[in-house]
Amino acid sequence: MYSLVKIELYKVFSRKRSYIGFIAIVVIVLIAQAAMLWEGQAMHEFITSNLSNAFYMQGNLVNGYLMTYLVLNFLWVHVPLLVVIVTGDLFSGEAHGGTFRLILTRPVSRLKLVSVKFIAAYIYTFVLMFLFAISSLGLGILLFGKGDLMVIFTAINIIPETDLLWRFIGAFVYGFIGMLAIASLSLLFSAMANNSLGPILTTMAVIILFTLITSFNFDIFRSIKPFLLTNYLDSWQGLFSYTVKLKALLFDSMVLILHCLIFYLITVIYFRQKDILT
Amino acid sequence: MKSVILFILCLISIRSLSGQEPNPDSLISKVLFEIEKVKSYKVDVEIEVDVEFINMPIKHATMFYKHPDKIKFKSDEFIMLPKKGLNNGIRKLLSEPYTSIYIGTENINESTHHIVKIIPLGKKPDIILATLWINEKTNLVSKSESSTRNEGTFTVDFSYSDTLTLPSEMKISFEIENLKIPLKFIGKTQGINIDSKKAKGKQEGQVYIRFSNYEINQRIDNSVFEDNTTKEN
């Protein structure tokens, strides 16, 4: 199993497209940080304009933590795309290239093959999210220093610096779990397809559609929202409320993990019965 | 405005005819005498902001004061300080020309307090009317209420320890505009009910400032006040 994972990882990391995500993450974070370096103070003054009528404010609010929080907000919609362009190709790429016929003549069970592909996709997602965390948080603190974080979350929450690192680690861990669910969905579509583009586009279409339904506050959608994957993707923001509701966060992360399991099981069932014709 | 002044002047003349009330100027002189005793101080402060739409923990800072009006807060943390009622406002108010009116007495915390109204006489004073509650025994101001030209009314309640003429706690109550921050700018907007009527209004906020470890009339270097990130009011 270990050697199968190693082979699968070798395949993932020897493809050029796997590095698109890494480069995109670093470039986007760099651009966002540069924009904040330029406009951060003005933005802060804009946000706090009505508070400044009543208060003098002293201290560094335009800091690395604020930058990371903003980058997280901007990117949680876009990171799925970076995940999917790699994970959506793991099955379909082989089907398209005709390599499944060769692999499946070896004494490797289909269950093992599916499991190994899921593990490789999860490891790639972890590396991507780790790079995201290091580049945004590390670079943010390096460029802007540390300080308290002001977050608007039903009220103005000013979270002290000493209380922030665990929240950010939690947010990235939660984000990672969310991306695992996205990766699992794309793997499911990938197993069903015989070309690379189809599963990537289908996964993105599903995410966009679900996100739209989640965003609209119409009664007609209210009853189906709890069943949509995207309803749980941004729950990491709960870590930045003044009093963190850990139970709700744990529930949401369990729902995401359940999605991963369901997508994995469907993929296994489907792939075991699939006729390899390409 | 004229009728108000006329009414106040009538009130002064009626009260002075009775001839039994303390002279407000003399009361204020006693207050100023107590204030002027302190030429400088350094003190640890604890700041608690109590505004409905602001969640922040209690903050800590060191406050420096040097006669007549230099004030500086230093802190490693982000701090928010009320613009009104903090910067030695009573001394500043009484250092400008004013008219004072004696109103009467009131018991606060089982101590008799003289109530004096102050009408600043400057061309366009920021504070248009102030009321001081002066402790009869200590000649210290226990409460002040100030009406400003543009920014509503604010009240300051002072608590003192037995040994010091400087407050051990201040409660500053003021009006603040409701949250008008563009919610979409940062953070999650989903599930937030935005009441537009409420957002336009004002609400009362309080800031509690607790003082400890006073170092009074010790030498404080001017360089302490140089990096003036907290502006004077």
Side-chain angles (χ1 to χ4, degrees):
Chain A
M1 185 80 170
Y2 175 68
S3 53
L4 279 177
V5 173
K6 264 175 63 177
I7 292 165
E8 201 57 47
L9 283 174
Y10 175 77
K11 282 195 271 185
V12 168
F13 286 100
S14 57
R15 282 186 210 163
K16 279 181 187 169
R17 72 164 64 188
S18 301
Y19 296 93
I20 293 173
F22 299 144
I23 294 164
I25 286 274
V26 173
V27 169
I28 293 167
V29 167
L30 276 174
I31 290 171
Q33 305 276 16
M36 294 302 163
L37 196 64
W38 199 257
E39 296 280 344
Q41 194 58 43
M43 186 196 77
H44 171 241
E45 281 168 15
F46 174 64
I47 294 169
T48 57
S49 56
N50 79 320
L51 283 184
S52 61
N53 292 333
F55 292 101
Y56 291 124
M57 283 172 269
Q58 186 178 309
N60 180 23
L61 271 187
V62 183
N63 55 52
Y65 289 125
L66 179 67
M67 298 306 123
T68 310
Y69 182 75
L70 291 176
V71 169
L72 265 168
N73 265 288
F74 295 147
L75 280 188
W76 75 264
V77 187
H78 310 298
V79 174
L81 176 65
L82 304 176
V83 172
V84 164
I85 54 172
V86 172
T87 56
D89 186 49
L90 285 184
F91 284 97
S92 55
E94 299 230 26
H96 182 69
T99 47
F100 268 146
R101 278 179 295 170
L102 185 68
I103 295 168
L104 293 173
T105 54
R106 313 282 297 170
V108 180
S109 70
R110 291 197 181 192
L111 172 69
K112 255 189 184 176
L113 192 70
V114 171
S115 306
V116 158
K117 290 216 179 275
F118 267 77
I119 292 168
Y122 288 178
I123 291 172
Y124 172 78
T125 309
F126 173 77
V127 174
L128 193 74
M129 287 302 289
F130 187 73
L131 184 74
F132 182 26
I134 292 292
S135 58
S136 56
L137 197 57
L139 201 67
I141 290 171
L142 200 72
L143 283 174
F144 298 93
K146 289 180 181 178
D148 294 359
L149 176 68
M150 182 188 270
V151 175
I152 320 258
F153 192 88
T154 64
I156 297 171
N157 299 322
I158 293 158
I159 305 164
E161 182 190 327
T162 49
D163 198 22
L164 280 172
L165 194 60
W166 75 269
R167 290 175 190 252
F168 275 103
I169 291 170
F172 281 112
V173 169
Y174 188 92
F176 170 60
I177 295 169
M179 290 310 119
L180 291 188
I182 300 281
S184 305
L185 178 67
S186 70
L187 283 163
L188 168 63
F189 289 141
S190 184
M192 292 174 173
N194 288 328
N195 67 80
S196 299
L197 207 57
I200 296 169
L201 293 178
T202 313
T203 312
M204 283 317 294
V206 168
I207 292 167
I208 291 165
L209 181 71
F210 283 9
T211 306
L212 280 173
I213 295 171
T214 312
S215 306
F216 289 134
N217 230 355
F218 299 141
D219 286 340
I220 193 169
F221 296 140
R222 206 157 287 163
S223 54
I224 57 165
K225 271 185 195 177
F227 302 101
L228 302 181
L229 168 68
T230 47
N231 195 42
Y232 304 93
L233 285 182
D234 64 345
S235 299
W236 60 268
Q237 290 186 343
L239 280 156
F240 297 95
S241 58
Y242 198 65
T243 319
V244 180
K245 289 173 184 160
L246 274 176
K247 270 188 182 174
L249 267 168
L250 276 173
F251 175 80
D252 287 3
S253 46
M254 285 301 152
V255 172
L256 289 172
I257 290 169
L258 192 68
H259 273 91
C260 294
L261 275 170
I262 291 168
F263 294 146
Y264 168 72
L265 287 173
I266 298 172
T267 311
V268 168
I269 293 163
Y270 181 85
F271 194 71
R272 285 178 84 169
Q273 295 167 353
K274 187 181 181 182
D275 288 332
I276 309 295
L277 303 170
T278 54
Chain B
M1 187 68 184
K2 277 182 182 175
S3 57
V4 172
I5 294 168
L6 201 67
F7 171 75
I8 290 165
L9 288 173
C10 286
L11 206 71
I12 297 166
S13 49
I14 292 163
R15 283 183 179 278
S16 56
L17 281 173
S18 67
Q20 292 178 350
E21 283 148 2
N23 182 347
D25 289 330
S26 143
L27 288 171
I28 287 166
S29 302
K30 286 175 188 171
V31 169
L32 276 173
F33 178 74
E34 293 298 331
I35 290 174
E36 296 294 331
K37 276 182 188 171
V38 177
K39 299 296 176 197
S40 69
Y41 63 80
K42 176 188 167 193
V43 63
D44 295 333
V45 292
E46 200 179 87
I47 306 154
E48 185 183 343
V49 177
D50 181 12
V51 177
E52 197 187 315
F53 60 83
I54 300 174
N55 293 320
M56 78 184 281
I58 293 173
K59 296 288 185 174
H60 300 87
T62 305
M63 179 184 174
F64 298 87
Y65 166 77
K66 196 168 185 180
H67 187 81
D69 57 4
K70 282 183 180 164
I71 284 179
K72 176 75 183 173
F73 284 85
K74 287 198 170 180
S75 178
D76 295 332
E77 305 169 41
F78 170 77
I79 53 172
M80 281 167 65
L81 300 157
K83 279 192 170 176
K84 299 290 173 194
L86 187 64
N87 294 350
N88 210 14
I90 293 171
R91 196 201 157 277
K92 196 181 172 190
L93 177 76
L94 300 177
S95 64
E96 305 283 331
Y98 63 86
T99 296
S100 59
I101 307 154
Y102 186 79
I103 299 296
T105 57
E106 189 181 318
N107 264 340
I108 300 175
N109 296 331
E110 297 172 4
S111 300
T112 308
H113 286 72
H114 297 293
I115 306 169
V116 176
K117 284 208 181 286
I118 310 283
I119 304 167
L121 298 175
K123 266 194 173 178
K124 271 194 171 180
D126 187 32
I127 292 171
I128 50 170
L129 180 68
T131 310
L132 303 179
W133 282 258
I134 301 164
N135 190 309
E136 190 182 48
K137 284 181 186 168
T138 61
N139 296 318
L140 297 172
V141 175
S142 296
K143 185 180 172 184
S144 74
E145 191 181 275
S146 309
S147 301
T148 62
R149 187 173 291 277
N150 300 317
E151 286 156 10
T153 303
F154 66 90
T155 309
V156 187
D157 292 282
F158 300 87
S159 302
Y160 297 90
S161 66
D162 294 335
T163 50
L164 287 172
T165 57
L166 289 165
S168 57
E169 185 176 332
M170 280 168 77
K171 178 191 165 191
I172 304 168
S173 310
F174 53 93
E175 285 178 332
I176 182 167
E177 278 182 46
N178 272 318
L179 186 68
K180 274 201 285 188
I181 293 164
L183 286 163
K184 195 73 187 168
F185 208 71
I186 52 174
K188 186 175 182 172
T189 57
Q190 199 183 319
I192 299 172
N193 293 317
I194 302 163
D195 186 341
S196 57
K197 279 182 188 170
K198 200 180 169 187
K200 280 177 189 169
K202 286 187 173 185
Q203 61 169 279
E204 190 166 280
Q206 275 96 32
V207 175
Y208 297 86
I209 301 173
R210 295 174 198 101
F211 302 88
S212 59
N213 304 324
Y214 272 108
E215 289 177 25
I216 301 168
N217 294 336
Q218 308 280 315
R219 191 178 175 279
I220 297 175
D221 201 89
N222 279 333
S223 62
V224 170
F225 302 93
E226 272 168 14
D227 175 27
N228 219 8
T229 41
T230 308
K231 296 166 208 165
E232 291 295 310
N233 184 16

